[in-house]
Amino acid sequence: MSRLVMKFGGTSVADLERIRRVARLVAAEIEAGHQVAVVVSAMAGKTNELVAWTDGAGAAAQGIDPSDDEYDVVVASGEQVTAGLLAMTLRNMGLRAKSWLGWQVPILTDEAHGKARIDEIPPEKLSAALDAGEVAVVAGFQGVTRDGRIATLGRGGSDTSAVAIAASLGAACDIYTDVDGVYTTDPRIESKARKLAKVSYEEMLEMASLGAKVLQTRSVELAMAYHVPVRVLSSFVEPGEAPGQGTIVCDEEEIVEKRIVSGVAYSRDEAKISLFGLPDHPGVSSTIFGALADANVNVDMIVQSHARTADTANMEFTVGRRDAQRAVEIIRAVQPQVGFEDVRVDEDVAKVSVIGVGMRSHAGVAKSMFKALADKGVNIQVISTSEIKISVLIDAAYTELAVRALHAAYGLDQL
Amino acid sequence: MSRLVMKFGGTSVADLERIRRVARLVAAEIEAGHQVAVVVSAMAGKTNELVAWTDGAGAAAQGIDPSDDEYDVVVASGEQVTAGLLAMTLRNMGLRAKSWLGWQVPILTDEAHGKARIDEIPPEKLSAALDAGEVAVVAGFQGVTRDGRIATLGRGGSDTSAVAIAASLGAACDIYTDVDGVYTTDPRIESKARKLAKVSYEEMLEMASLGAKVLQTRSVELAMAYHVPVRVLSSFVEPGEAPGQGTIVCDEEEIVEKRIVSGVAYSRDEAKISLFGLPDHPGVSSTIFGALADANVNVDMIVQSHARTADTANMEFTVGRRDAQRAVEIIRAVQPQVGFEDVRVDEDVAKVSVIGVGMRSHAGVAKSMFKALADKGVNIQVISTSEIKISVLIDAAYTELAVRALHAAYGLDQL
């Protein structure tokens, strides 16, 4: 009997009516002969309410760190409520069901409260429950440390819970969300965007980290590591209606017809930092990026160029927009040591990327990209590439234009 | 070093400002040299919200019982939130603190989900935390069954949690509430009501079960069984202000100056059921009260009298008002078997009681009661007595008049 983990996010369990809808989707999978574990998030809005309370309790701080493990105690209660309510609803539909909290499974994590990583999920108890014909309703986003304290996995952690449980149970994993699959690009920008039937883990990883917020990055990494077949599909179906096929996220080898480019992603959460008049000698980059790394600022695209005068260089790089001002302060602090002339920050930028495993074996992808952008008069500020992705930084005002031009250039509207 | 359990109800932790007030009261006791465990309820209103959701989840019922253990999973989350928030607040004030959920202590209960009884609280873990200088913030109202499922103790259960933990730790127990002690009667009815410095467990039990809702009955029984000194006092004090002495609930022997009557209690949650024309032969009462007991209807006062005609009797008894209609239906169902003539229900009644351990050794208490009521023209419908209590059922319209008359008759305004 095949095993299935079904995961439902906050908007899919936002109220009792939606929880009943979820219960019907679960019942349909049981009917179809699956053993089912369900992973649920907190009802939409609940986590924010709980986090606001912990902020308030932390506001009395007199220089003492807010205690992350107590934050977890408060915030994990949201998923607990949903798990109990869904188990009740399933029982009321005549199914056998039981809720499972992180400490009951147990979902063992490290001690990094608030952003814990799952160490291990002993499968015995959940397995036994499934074999006994019960639906296991697991509270997502939470686990327990080895010394018995509640730990949460950080935002989006329920996806990770679901994939980790699927790996532990040898199950497939269906992630129900408010979209019906993974698209070639954001349909709000390009109405010709198409749903992908299949996408590889690596492509999905690039898409997730590039701002296509369908799946949390960590959950995709985990799925790739344990070869868990993941499917993304919509929970917003009417009673009696099937949820459609969604998009399957799987190993590259399982995708027979490989596309050169699978999708166009974009992110507006970027800021570009420019350094002018850097002395051109070894150790400069290491001082600057060392200081940023020490302060936990993530640097993404980097480009260095020689200035017109022979003995100095300019450098540009991007950081997350919310880190921009802090990054500038850090850089100013090392100015005496490094000796550059000026630093500027530009928050009016966007990153647009084309992604596809086919790039590995096809030349000319970058050329088509630059040509398509040039034809529309889009100026490229910074370029970065990986094996299966090319990203460019552009003026934010051109984001939609660039996305649509690239979507057409690779024929993604004709899949 | 003496140990203290401090318990705070829902109104005392209703928002972050009140939680900070609670934290200051805790800090003062630490300052005074106590080891402190704090037991908290859910923030006021939260339990009702959670219960409403479980009702909603149960509303889909197709004849299957709502699952009480899942109800507990949902509802216990309320106290979890408060425990985490208070622990954070205490830490932010510079104290060492940690939250403890039912399963972490553990507070072991039976399997009666929704109204579980505490079986055992192994003191080792909490004791070690207190000895290590930590404030233990315990989620009230909840425990865990021996097979690892969350169980709640029922409404008011946090009082019981607090007393049971105090018993387990060899601690005294301070119950902080929205009143500053136990009064000779309800101050909203009699402005001359006085706060009692001490009251015995047995008196408190009678008061609690008679509608003076300061302490939950089960918690008083437990305090009496384990000789836990309990103090009732107000959490509604301004910053810097001491919470006053409150009322100490203790063994009768510790009360030096015994009063004949300690207080006057009343309850409007009563209904009187009258049966007319009962055949006067053995087995009739047993049939009627057996049927009520089978349906879990609690019967309180009972009086039987012979009717004018020699071969039939009339009977009157009281039940909780919310059970009244159900009780009548049950009685009508046994009418063919019992053969009475008529049944009537009167919901317009109140029970007024005088309570005092001094009654054991003093005659004439009942006589003064009946005289005081007669002087004011209050008609007595039913009487019941225990060793330390006399209750009368009267027309509800006379409740306040009767309470004030009795308060004066026993000199309670001159304590």
Side-chain angles (χ1 to χ4, degrees), chain A residues 7 33 45 98 131 137 152 166 176 193-194 212 230 244 265 273 326 353 367 372 393:
Chain A
K7 183 260 169 181
K98 194 159 86 174
D131 287 342
V137 183
T152 65
Y176 283 82
R194 305 267 165 166
V230 170
I273 293 178
R326 205 154 55 91
S353 311
K367 189 186 132 196
L393 198 72

Side-chain angles (χ1 to χ4, degrees), chain A residues 67 69-70 91 99 104 149, chain B residues 67 69-70 91 99 148-149:
Chain A
S67 60
D69 62 329
E70 298 300 346
R91 289 189 188 178
S99 67
Q104 290 171 317
R149 302 295 294 167
Chain B
S67 61
D69 62 331
E70 298 300 345
R91 288 187 188 179
S99 67
R149 301 298 294 168

Side-chain angles (χ1 to χ4, degrees), chain B residues 198-264:
Chain B
K198 287 187 174 184
V199 65
S200 73
Y201 295 122
E202 281 169 289
E203 287 169 327
M204 194 67 222
L205 265 182
E206 293 286 8
M207 290 181 189
S209 62
L210 290 169
K213 294 179 183 101
V214 180
L215 284 180
Q216 204 233 359
T217 307
R218 171 85 184 118
S219 71
V220 183
E221 289 170 357
L222 212 56
M224 183 159 77
Y226 292 94
H227 303 283
V228 176
V230 171
R231 197 162 59 132
V232 175
L233 64 183
S234 173
S235 70
F236 289 79
V237 292
E238 293 309 311
E241 197 188 322
Q245 285 309 305
T247 296
I248 292 168
V249 191
C250 57
D251 279 321
E252 199 176 320
E253 294 71 43
E254 292 170 44
I255 303 175
V256 178
E257 199 172 335
K258 290 183 181 55
R259 295 168 301 271
I260 300 175
V261 168
S262 297
V264 180

Side-chain angles (χ1 to χ4, degrees), chain B residues 274-327:
Chain B
S274 307
L275 288 172
F276 301 98
L278 280 165
D280 189 17
H281 58 70
V284 166
S285 298
S286 134
T287 304
I288 291 167
F289 295 115
L292 291 168
D294 289 348
N296 229 356
V297 173
N298 241 345
V299 174
D300 181 16
M301 309 165 99
I302 306 176
V303 63
Q304 185 172 324
S305 61
H306 281 270
R308 286 196 198 102
T309 59
D311 56 349
T312 66
N314 296 338
M315 185 185 280
E316 294 183 308
F317 58 86
T318 62
V319 297
R321 194 170 295 181
R322 66 170 187 284
D323 288 335
Q325 291 310 322
R326 204 156 53 92

Side-chain angles (χ1 to χ4, degrees), chain B residues 75-415:
Chain B
V75 176
S77 68
E79 284 71 21
Q80 174 169 337
V81 169
T82 320
L85 291 176
L86 179 57
M88 288 184 86
T89 306
L90 288 167
R91 288 187 188 179
N92 285 331
M93 289 172 65
L95 293 168
R96 295 182 54 210
K98 194 160 87 177
S99 67
W100 293 81
L101 305 181
W103 58 273
Q104 290 172 316
V105 174
I107 297 172
L108 296 168
T109 72
D110 62 17
E111 315 267 321
H113 288 282
K115 50 180 200 299
R117 289 172 78 97
I118 297 174
D119 277 344
E120 192 193 345
I121 303 180
E124 292 76 16
K125 288 190 189 173
L126 278 188
S127 256
L130 296 188
D131 287 342
E134 276 179 14
V135 179
V137 184
V138 184
F141 176 67
Q142 62 177 254
V144 65
T145 63
R146 283 172 204 275
D147 62 346
R149 301 298 294 168
I150 293 175
T152 65
L153 310 180
R155 286 285 165 133
S158 290
D159 286 349
T160 307
S161 303
V163 171
I165 288 166
S168 147
L169 293 172
C173 185
D174 284 357
I175 306 271
Y176 283 82
T177 175
D178 49 4
V179 297
D180 65 349
V182 180
Y183 278 72
T184 49
T185 194
D186 185 344
R188 289 170 301 180
I189 286 186
E190 172 54 274
S191 60
K192 292 179 196 147
R194 306 266 166 166
K195 191 173 68 182
L196 295 164
K198 287 187 174 184
V199 65
S200 73
Y201 295 122
E202 281 169 289
E203 287 169 327
M204 194 67 222
L205 265 182
E206 293 286 8
M207 290 181 189
S209 62
L210 290 169
K213 294 179 183 101
V214 180
L215 284 180
Q216 204 233 359
T217 307
R218 171 85 184 118
S219 71
V220 183
E221 289 170 357
L222 212 56
M224 183 159 77
Y226 292 94
H227 303 283
V228 176
V230 171
R231 197 162 59 132
V232 175
L233 64 183
S234 173
S235 70
F236 289 79
V237 292
E238 293 309 311
E241 197 188 322
Q245 285 309 305
T247 296
I248 292 168
V249 191
C250 57
D251 279 321
E252 199 176 320
E253 294 71 43
E254 292 170 44
I255 303 175
V256 178
E257 199 172 335
K258 290 183 181 55
R259 295 168 301 271
I260 300 175
V261 168
S262 297
V264 180
Y266 68 95
S267 162
R268 289 194 178 98
D269 299 327
E270 313 287 322
K272 182 178 70 169
I273 293 178
S274 307
L275 288 172
F276 301 98
L278 280 165
D280 189 17
H281 58 70
V284 166
S285 298
S286 134
T287 304
I288 291 167
F289 295 115
L292 291 168
D294 289 348
N296 229 356
V297 173
N298 241 345
V299 174
D300 181 16
M301 309 165 99
I302 306 176
V303 63
Q304 185 172 324
S305 61
H306 281 270
R308 286 196 198 102
T309 59
D311 56 349
T312 66
N314 296 338
M315 185 185 280
E316 294 183 308
F317 58 86
T318 62
V319 297
R321 194 170 295 181
R322 66 170 187 284
D323 288 335
Q325 291 310 322
R326 204 156 53 92
V328 169
E329 285 162 26
I330 290 159
I331 287 162
R332 289 230 168 91
V334 296
Q335 185 165 15
Q337 190 181 345
V338 174
F340 58 85
E341 285 160 20
D342 196 10
V343 53
R344 279 182 223 158
V345 60
D346 180 1
E347 302 199 344
D348 219 19
V349 293
K351 182 166 66 169
V352 175
S353 311
V354 297
I355 296 141
V357 285
M359 285 185 204
R360 288 211 183 91
S361 46
H362 285 77
V365 177
K367 190 185 132 197
S368 331
M369 184 177 194
F370 303 152
K371 182 172 186 308
L373 294 174
D375 286 351
K376 298 286 181 189
V378 181
N379 189 41
I380 297 173
Q381 303 183 14
V382 185
I383 301 169
S384 78
T385 62
S386 79
E387 256 199 308
I388 64 162
K389 173 209 74 172
I390 307 170
S391 299
V392 295
L393 198 74
I394 62 172
D395 182 332
Y398 290 82
T399 310
E400 292 86 352
L401 179 69
V403 166
R404 283 190 288 259
L406 295 172
H407 197 262
Y410 295 104
L412 291 175
D413 40 6
Q414 292 147 13
L415 277 179

